[in-house]
């Protein structure tokens, strides 16, 4: 039996009068990639933040690595990449990586090798000595992803990691994600790129605060009698 | 351990931000320099004095004093007329032997004090035994007047020091009421408080801005997505800005002593300890208030509300005559305690060990504010 890394049960979340999450249940197992899709403003980022303990749910239960969130020490075992690139602009790429590596508690002697590895995954090795203020949008995104990958976390939570990243590099990143999955890591990823949703093991479609569809991509396509996840998305939304 | 890494990162960021560094280290020196310039400027004020029936010796001596020009008038009426026409700044009338009536225009308090000082010097320098008694009496009056002026017109009182020191090097009266008497020399009185104020102001502003920036750029969220403790973040900021505040304190104290020629009766080390303590309080205060601000501009809005009032309540102006609730306000302001301790060290040479209450209160401020900061971070992460 596989370990359940994320187990969100009947989450509810309101911002003032607005109900963002009405009833959301999701789970990510070890060795699984779960893709979270849904229109902008559907509450994808909110669900992720609740899972990480950065927001408090109004109802329901968020279990991560079999522990109730929020829980501080647990955060060291999770690689989180937020939707916005928050980086220290005055520092170089390498300094950002070193700093966050230390914050995550990566062992001192392992840190240099770890940084070299994650920088290679996102093709950032040549730019590591450069200040982040001189980075392009895509470079910032890649550095953000590299930071999330630091410390070989058991669970990766990536909020739109491939925005602004070119197709060749995107392919490389997905290759890395699949490798991580095969090594038994769990990945929760949100995306607006439906081609990417095809590459996941399961897709959850978030709409009107509820999970409207939740299955393997191929099964969803069969269920909706369409060829692509994009069409599933559009059909579920009632556009097509 | 993480706190140290955070501190190192903050310092690295700061070192690369040359303008902020300049603001912290150069701006206080610049302001001190400007103040020095302004306060020595008044020493070159010159006065015109009309004399009536004044003893020739005294008149000549007075005329020889720097920045004092004497003109003889035949009658008191014509002298008073000249005073009204603003041709002279004061009239000295020897009504009978050794009895003088001095009328001041008093439109410029600096001039008034210069006349007073100059006349005293002239009398003393004259060295006439018969005048001695009068001089003593006069000096007492002058000291009372000076005290009045200190209350009414701070700058004038501050300026008094310079002409006196120059004009009457051998004057005996000088030591009796002028130097070392905080009631008569306003500028000496405010320097310790101003020094503390600069430390407070710059550290408050810059540390608050730094954490605010961390929050608005989202790096704080990212930081809080790692297993770092909230306390470690606060501590990291305290360490890094503490180091900076220490350097700044040393610079401010040394320039105050060096540039301004302020005499410190107590130990220089004690002044630095108090200033540093105040800097740490300012640091914690800045971090706390930054959580209430949404932008850098909102942080600036705290300056008139939180920072400036401190200077009024911190002992620059005597609060004795005010309503008690106004006085009570000063008890909750950290600058009050720092200013009080610093004044005692600089004026009276009080030792740190005798300033337990002030130091204790500052430490309490520091402790409470730091605690609030660690708690305040709960807004961003619950654990
Ligand atoms: N802190 C907040 N305060 C108030 N409303 C919020 C807050 N955070 C999110 N919301 C609201 O919750 C809804 C969902 O936001 P969320 O960021 O989860 O959307 P999303 O699915 O990630 O969208 P996108 O694909 O554009 O990133 C939005 O309507 C947003 O306005
Ligand atoms: Mg989002």
């Amino acid at each position: 039996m596989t370990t359940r890394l994320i187990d969100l049960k009947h989450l509810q979340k309101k911002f003032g009068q607005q109900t963002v999450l009405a009833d959301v249940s999701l789970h990510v197992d070890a060795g699984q990639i779960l893709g979270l899709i849904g229109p902008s403003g559907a509450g994808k980022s909110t669900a992720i933040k609740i899972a990480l303990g950065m927001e408090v749910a109004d109802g329901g239960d968020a279990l991560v690595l079999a522990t109730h969130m929020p829980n501080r020490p647990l955060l060291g075992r999770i690689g989180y990449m937020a939707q916005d690139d928050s980086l220290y602009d005055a520092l170089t790429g390498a300094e950002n990586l070193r700093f966050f590596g230390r914050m995550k508690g990566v062992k001192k002697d392992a840190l240099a090798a770890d940084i070299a590895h994650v920088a290679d995954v996102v093709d950032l090795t040549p730019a590591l000595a450069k200040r982040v203020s001189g980075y392009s949008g895509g470079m910032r995104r890649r550095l953000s992803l590299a930071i999330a990958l630091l410390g070989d976390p058991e669970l990766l939570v990536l909020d739109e990691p491939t925005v602004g990243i070119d197709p060749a590099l995107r392919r490389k990143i997905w290759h890395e994600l699949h490798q991580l999955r095969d090594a038994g890591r769990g990945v929760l990823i949100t995306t607006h790129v439906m081609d990417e949703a095809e590459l996941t093991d399961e897709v959850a479609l978030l709409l009107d605060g509820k999970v409207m569809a939740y299955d393997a991509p191929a099964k969803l396509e069969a269920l909706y009698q369409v060829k692509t996840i994009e069409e599933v998305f559009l059909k579920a939304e009632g556009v097509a | 351990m993480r706190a140290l890494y955070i501190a190192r990162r903050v310092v690295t960021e700061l070192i690369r931000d040359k303008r902020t560094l300049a603001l912290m280290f150069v701006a206080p020196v610049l302001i001190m320099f400007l103040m020095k310039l302004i306060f020595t400027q008044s020493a070159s004020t010159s006065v015109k004095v009309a004399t009536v029936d004044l003893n020739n010796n005294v008149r000549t001596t007075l005329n020889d004093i720097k920045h004092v020009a004497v003109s003889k008038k035949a009658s008191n009426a014509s002298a008073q007329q000249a005073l009204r026409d603003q041709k002279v700044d004061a009239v000295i009338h020897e009504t009978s032997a050794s009895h003088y009536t001095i009328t001041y225009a008093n439109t410029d308090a600096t001039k008034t004090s210069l006349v007073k000082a100059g006349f005293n010097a002239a009398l003393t320098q004259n060295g006439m035994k018969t005048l001695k008694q009068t001089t003593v009496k006069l000096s007492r009056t002058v000291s009372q007047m000076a005290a009045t002026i200190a209350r009414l017109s701070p700058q004038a009182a501050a300026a008094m020091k310079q002409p006196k020191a120059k004009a009457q090097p051998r004057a005996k009266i000088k030591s009796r009421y002028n130097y070392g008497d905080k009631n008569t020399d306003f500028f000496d009185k405010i320097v310790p408080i101003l020094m503390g104020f600069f430390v407070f102001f710059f550290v408050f502003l810059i540390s608050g801005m730094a954490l605010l920036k961390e929050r608005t750029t989202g790096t704080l969220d990212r930081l809080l997505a790692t297993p770092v403790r909230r306390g470690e973040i606060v501590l990291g900021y305290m360490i890094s800005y503490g180091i900076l505040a220490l350097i700044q304190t040393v610079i401010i104290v040394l320039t105050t002593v060096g540039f301004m020629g302020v005499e410190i009766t107590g130990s220089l080390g004690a002044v630095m300890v108090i200033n540093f303590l105040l800097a740490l309080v300012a640091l914690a205060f800045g971090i706390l208030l930054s959580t209430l601000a949404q932008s850098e501009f909102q942080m600036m809005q705290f300056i008139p509300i939180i920072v400036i009032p401190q200077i009024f309540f911190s002992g620059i102006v005597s609060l004795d005559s005010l309503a008690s609730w106004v006085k009570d306000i000063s008890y909750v302001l950290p600058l009050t305690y720092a200013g009080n301790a610093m004044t005692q060290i600089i004026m009276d040479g009080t030792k740190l060990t005798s300033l337990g209450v002030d130091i204790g209160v500052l430490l309490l401020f520091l402790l409470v504010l730091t605690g609030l900061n660690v708690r305040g971070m709960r807004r961003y992460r619950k654990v």
Side-chain angles (χ1 to χ4, degrees):
Chain A
M1 177 187 154
T2 52
T3 356
R4 190 138 285 193
L5 298 181
I6 296 184
D7 197 0
L8 306 180
K9 293 179 207 161
H10 308 291
L11 287 185
Q12 288 168 22
K13 178 71 188 175
K14 278 185 194 169
F15 286 113
Q17 294 294 310
Q18 180 195 12
T19 303
V20 177
L21 303 179
D23 181 8
V24 172
S25 299
L26 295 171
H27 53 86
V28 179
D29 293 336
Q32 188 194 30
I33 301 179
L34 172 67
L36 189 56
I37 60 173
S40 179
K44 303 182 293 294
S45 300
T46 306
I48 284 180
K49 282 181 182 161
I50 290 171
L52 291 171
M54 298 166 82
E55 291 277 6
V56 198
D58 297 319
D61 222 357
L63 277 157
V64 175
L65 300 164
T67 315
H68 281 275
M69 293 308 267
N71 179 294
R72 187 186 54 79
L74 210 64
L75 292 169
R77 293 158 66 188
I78 305 171
Y80 169 58
M81 174 183 181
Q83 190 168 358
D84 44 357
D85 302 305
S86 17
L87 301 161
Y88 296 106
D89 280 3
L91 304 184
T92 65
E95 283 166 338
N96 268 285
L97 284 169
R98 209 171 304 135
F99 175 70
F100 280 111
R102 277 165 179 158
M103 290 301 115
K104 281 183 159 184
V106 179
K107 293 270 173 303
K108 217 174 175 166
D109 38 348
L111 191 58
D114 203 8
I115 289 175
H117 169 71
V118 295
D120 183 53
V121 170
V122 297
D123 256 355
L124 217 54
T125 313
L128 276 188
K130 203 170 165 178
R131 298 241 181 117
V132 172
S133 52
Y135 273 26
S136 73
M139 286 164 86
R140 299 174 67 90
R141 205 78 201 120
R142 277 142 62 193
L143 182 58
S144 265
L145 180 57
I147 290 170
L149 294 174
L150 275 176
D152 194 17
E154 290 161 62
L155 174 65
L156 277 171
V157 179
L158 310 174
D159 204 347
E160 301 189 29
T162 54
V163 173
I165 291 182
D166 64 82
L169 191 59
R170 189 180 297 170
R171 190 170 286 188
K172 190 175 173 195
I173 288 168
W174 273 96
H175 178 70
E176 175 73 14
L177 291 181
H178 283 141
Q179 273 191 340
L180 286 170
R181 173 198 58 193
D182 296 341
R185 310 277 179 265
V187 181
L188 172 60
I189 187 169
T190 75
T191 181
H192 284 295
V193 184
M194 293 305 138
D195 295 353
E196 286 184 355
E198 312 271 4
L199 301 170
T200 61
D201 299 316
E202 278 194 315
V203 174
L205 174 60
L206 204 59
L207 201 64
D208 298 329
K210 291 198 181 74
V211 181
M212 299 295 277
Y214 190 6
D215 216 330
K219 285 187 185 161
L220 279 184
E221 283 153 13
L223 187 70
Y224 280 79
Q225 296 165 323
V226 289
K227 288 203 182 64
T228 59
I229 289 295
E230 179 151 346
E231 287 171 283
V232 172
F233 186 106
L234 293 172
K235 211 164 177 177
E237 250 203 297
V239 179
Chain B
M1 205 55 191
R2 285 197 176 96
L4 284 182
Y5 288 128
I6 293 176
R8 194 154 103 193
R9 191 213 80 217
V10 173
V11 169
T12 313
E13 283 183 296
L14 258 169
I15 287 173
R16 291 180 187 170
D17 185 356
K18 299 282 184 289
R19 258 182 70 165
T20 305
L21 271 192
L23 179 69
M24 275 197 100
F25 297 144
V26 183
V29 177
L30 185 73
I31 294 175
M32 285 294 185
F33 178 69
L34 286 177
M35 282 177 56
K36 160 91 175 161
L37 229 57
I38 287 159
F39 281 100
T40 42
Q41 175 66 33
S42 49
S44 64
T45 310
S46 55
V47 288
K48 291 193 207 83
V49 181
T51 61
V52 186
D53 303 333
L54 187 63
N55 177 307
N56 272 334
N57 290 332
V58 179
R59 205 187 62 231
T60 326
T61 324
L62 184 62
N63 201 19
D64 288 345
I65 288 173
K66 255 189 208 161
H67 308 303
V68 181
V70 176
S71 59
K72 196 176 165 184
K73 297 282 178 199
S75 71
N76 194 27
S78 66
Q80 297 297 340
Q81 186 58 46
L83 188 65
R84 273 193 294 278
D85 296 345
Q86 297 180 357
K87 292 206 175 77
V88 296
D89 301 300
V91 172
I92 299 174
H93 186 194
E94 189 166 2
T95 44
S96 59
S98 304
H99 285 78
Y100 308 97
T101 309
I102 309 180
T103 319
Y104 301 103
N106 210 16
T107 46
D108 183 344
T110 317
K111 292 184 174 178
T112 305
S113 54
L114 183 55
V115 173
K116 259 183 223 169
F119 186 59
N120 273 297
L123 289 181
T124 317
Q125 275 178 33
N126 231 11
M128 288 191 293
K129 273 188 180 163
T130 44
L131 280 179
K132 207 175 174 187
Q133 235 181 334
T134 326
T135 313
V136 172
K137 211 191 315 166
L138 197 68
S139 74
R140 213 174 289 132
T141 325
V142 166
S143 73
Q144 274 162 11
M145 279 170 156
T148 318
I149 284 179
R151 236 176 296 124
L152 297 178
S153 165
Q155 288 93 338
M160 275 178 75
K161 177 181 134 193
Q162 234 81 26
K164 256 180 235 157
K166 273 187 188 163
Q168 47 170 83
R170 280 167 292 160
K172 280 181 204 153
I173 317 164
K174 188 182 97 178
S175 59
R176 218 173 284 161
Y177 62 86
N178 183 16
Y179 208 68
D181 186 346
K182 52 190 169 195
N183 293 323
T184 52
D185 203 323
F186 183 72
F187 188 59
D188 277 359
K189 184 175 156 63
I190 64 169
V191 160
I193 294 163
L194 276 186
M195 197 155 62
F197 176 73
F198 286 140
V199 170
F200 188 92
F201 180 75
F202 287 108
V203 173
F204 168 84
L205 197 60
I206 293 168
S207 66
M209 292 277 194
L211 193 66
L212 185 72
K213 188 172 153 232
E214 178 127 20
R215 210 178 81 221
T216 50
T217 58
T219 46
L220 184 64
D221 269 346
R222 172 154 231 159
L223 198 52
L224 287 169
T226 72
V228 70
R229 287 191 166 84
R230 285 173 286 134
E232 287 171 326
I233 298 179
V234 174
L235 190 62
Y237 267 83
M238 297 293 279
I239 294 172
S240 51
Y241 278 92
I243 295 170
L244 230 73
L246 188 64
I247 300 172
Q248 198 202 31
T249 303
V250 171
I251 292 179
I252 291 185
V253 172
L254 289 184
T255 46
T256 307
V257 176
F259 260 152
M260 320 282 291
V262 169
E263 280 177 32
I264 292 183
T265 323
S267 86
L268 199 62
V271 175
M272 294 209 186
V273 167
I274 298 291
N275 264 313
F276 182 57
L277 205 53
L278 180 67
L280 290 182
V281 173
L283 183 55
F285 211 34
I287 292 175
L288 185 68
L289 285 184
S290 77
T291 59
L292 302 177
Q294 300 301 327
S295 65
E296 262 103 341
F297 184 58
Q298 286 195 353
M299 191 69 201
M300 301 286 287
Q301 291 162 3
F302 286 122
I303 296 173
I305 298 170
I306 305 282
V307 183
I308 304 289
Q310 299 225 35
I311 207 167
F312 299 129
F313 287 104
S314 59
I316 282 193
V317 197
S318 173
L319 298 177
D320 293 344
S321 54
L322 297 179
S324 66
W325 68 268
V326 181
K327 265 192 274 183
D328 289 344
I329 295 177
S330 72
Y331 292 125
V332 298
L333 302 176
L335 201 57
T336 307
Y337 300 94
N340 183 35
M342 222 111 71
T343 307
Q344 288 191 48
I345 294 169
I346 294 179
M347 298 297 181
D348 310 329
T350 313
K351 291 208 166 52
L352 274 184
T353 43
S354 329
L355 292 168
V357 175
D358 289 318
I359 294 175
V361 173
L362 284 176
L363 281 175
L364 195 68
F365 265 114
L366 182 60
L367 222 65
V368 170
L369 288 172
T370 308
L372 284 176
N373 278 326
V374 177
R375 257 211 86 78
M377 287 252 170
R378 267 177 177 270
R379 281 177 44 180
Y380 312 115
R381 189 184 70 191
K382 307 292 169 235
V383 284

